[in-house]
Amino acid sequence: HGGLQQLEEIIAQKHVEIVVVAMSERRSALPIDQLLNLKLAGVCVEDGAAFYERLSGKIGLAELKPSVLVFSEGFRWTDAAVKRGMDILLAFVGLVLASPIFFFLPLLIMLESRGPVFYRQVRVGMFGRPFMMLKFRSMRQDAEVPGKAMWAQENDPRVTGLGRFLRKYRFDELPQLLNVLRGEMSVVGPRPERPEFVESLRRAVPYYALRLATKPGITGWAQVMFPYGATVQDAAEKLQYDMYYLKHMSIAFDCRIAVKTVRTVLCGSGAR
């Protein structure tokens, strides 16, 4: 313990390797001379927001500003071109490998409950453009009141017995590979939401619309880091992970998310 005047002395005594600067007011209070001396002496001096971001894998709500993305290293057009090429390749290979599932699963769905095999639902895509997202139907045909959107809940009674299995291991998401081929989705990106939810979340969560700056994905950083959300508070939490993804978006990061997704699916966690 001690004041800023003893900063260098305390750090030397405690053998500190990293100093995190988390001061809200820096113009007059920041001990720039001491921090510079520490930097030159080999001590790592790190911004508090950057430290939190690196440690948690998300960007705090206080730092959710357009400038965070403007000055980030993401959004390189070369990465975007490679990403699209990988999307097409992965979607094509995925559909070929999943072809037996596309043959047998519709039969099981029809045997268990009445209704269509595929579930089509309007979602909001890149730049706010709506598109029709495809899924294998995992709920009863009368799961929603017409015109009223509802969040999926834990142990949702509207989900069929087969649907619980499909959701647990994400088999219901396989038809979205067709959305990827059509260019409406990417393999990795923020999950697309329904227009009704997007409008309400835009009003309730600052900068929520920023997540529409890229194509939505079948899986994403928020999906592997945070369980399924069903409230505005959950959406705000997931937005922090989505913003981290947008800021650090790269092919290497997409590969990391894909590996974590495989682990999550094999464990059957996070689904509702």
Side-chain angles (χ1 to χ4, degrees):
H1 299 283
L4 291 176
Q5 294 75 14
Q6 291 82 41
L7 180 62
E8 294 179 61
E9 181 182 343
I10 294 170
I11 288 174
Q13 290 176 352
K14 301 295 183 180
H15 305 289
V16 174
E17 297 180 355
I18 300 177
V19 173
V20 178
V21 181
M23 302 172 67
S24 57
E25 179 53 54
R26 299 186 181 183
R27 292 184 180 180
S28 58
L30 189 66
I32 189 67
D33 291 335
Q34 291 97 318
L35 293 175
L36 184 57
N37 289 336
L38 292 172
K39 185 80 172 181
L40 294 175
V43 177
C44 177
V45 180
E46 193 166 353
D47 174 72
F51 180 78
Y52 172 81
E53 180 182 324
R54 180 168 58 83
L55 211 61
S56 64
K58 60 185 178 181
I59 298 176
L61 286 174
E63 282 71 45
L64 281 182
K65 301 174 183 177
S67 58
V68 170
L69 303 182
V70 170
F71 298 108
S72 70
E73 296 181 358
F75 302 100
R76 290 192 293 265
W77 71 268
T78 50
D79 276 359
V82 174
K83 182 179 174 72
R84 179 57 187 156
M86 289 181 63
D87 281 342
I88 294 173
L89 176 62
L90 291 173
F92 180 76
V93 172
L95 286 169
V96 171
L97 295 176
S99 56
I101 297 176
F102 277 85
F103 178 77
F104 290 107
L105 198 52
L107 298 176
L108 296 176
I109 293 172
M110 288 188 293
L111 285 173
E112 185 185 42
S113 62
R114 297 176 59 184
V117 170
F118 293 102
Y119 181 63
R120 296 172 174 83
Q121 191 177 73
V122 177
R123 296 291 177 105
V124 178
M126 188 175 182
F127 303 137
R129 300 189 191 105
F131 70 98
M132 195 68 70
M133 192 182 77
L134 303 173
K135 298 179 74 170
F136 281 121
R137 183 173 60 83
S138 59
M139 289 187 175
R140 303 189 314 267
Q141 191 175 7
D142 61 346
E144 281 189 346
V145 177
K148 184 178 181 182
M150 297 174 61
W151 296 96
Q153 303 295 326
E154 191 170 0
N155 299 318
D156 200 314
R158 300 173 298 163
V159 179
T160 64
L162 177 62
R164 294 193 187 284
F165 174 81
L166 298 181
R167 283 169 169 253
K168 183 175 183 179
Y169 294 103
R170 309 305 200 276
F171 285 121
D172 61 321
E173 311 284 2
L174 284 175
Q176 288 162 43
L177 292 171
L178 296 171
N179 290 118
V180 174
L181 283 180
R182 293 198 303 222
E184 299 161 335
M185 294 179 65
S186 178
V187 174
V188 178
R191 281 296 291 170
E193 291 288 359
R194 300 173 68 171
E196 301 91 332
F197 294 150
V198 169
E199 285 307 310
S200 62
L201 291 169
R202 269 177 162 171
R203 294 190 294 267
V205 182
Y207 303 112
Y208 184 83
L210 289 177
R211 72 193 299 277
L212 303 177
T214 189
K215 286 182 183 179
I218 297 176
T219 185
W221 185 238
Q223 277 57 54
V224 298
M225 296 296 290
F226 189 77
Y228 187 94
T231 66
V232 172
Q233 291 75 17
D234 289 342
E237 183 71 16
K238 290 179 71 174
L239 177 63
Q240 297 178 72
Y241 289 105
D242 286 334
M243 290 301 102
Y244 181 90
Y245 171 73
L246 290 175
K247 182 178 179 182
H248 300 281
M249 190 165 58
S250 67
I251 301 302
F253 195 15
D254 278 8
C255 292
R256 179 183 170 191
I257 293 170
V259 171
K260 287 181 73 70
T261 299
V262 172
R263 293 175 183 168
T264 301
V265 170
L266 291 177
C267 294
S269 59
R272 289 190 182 180

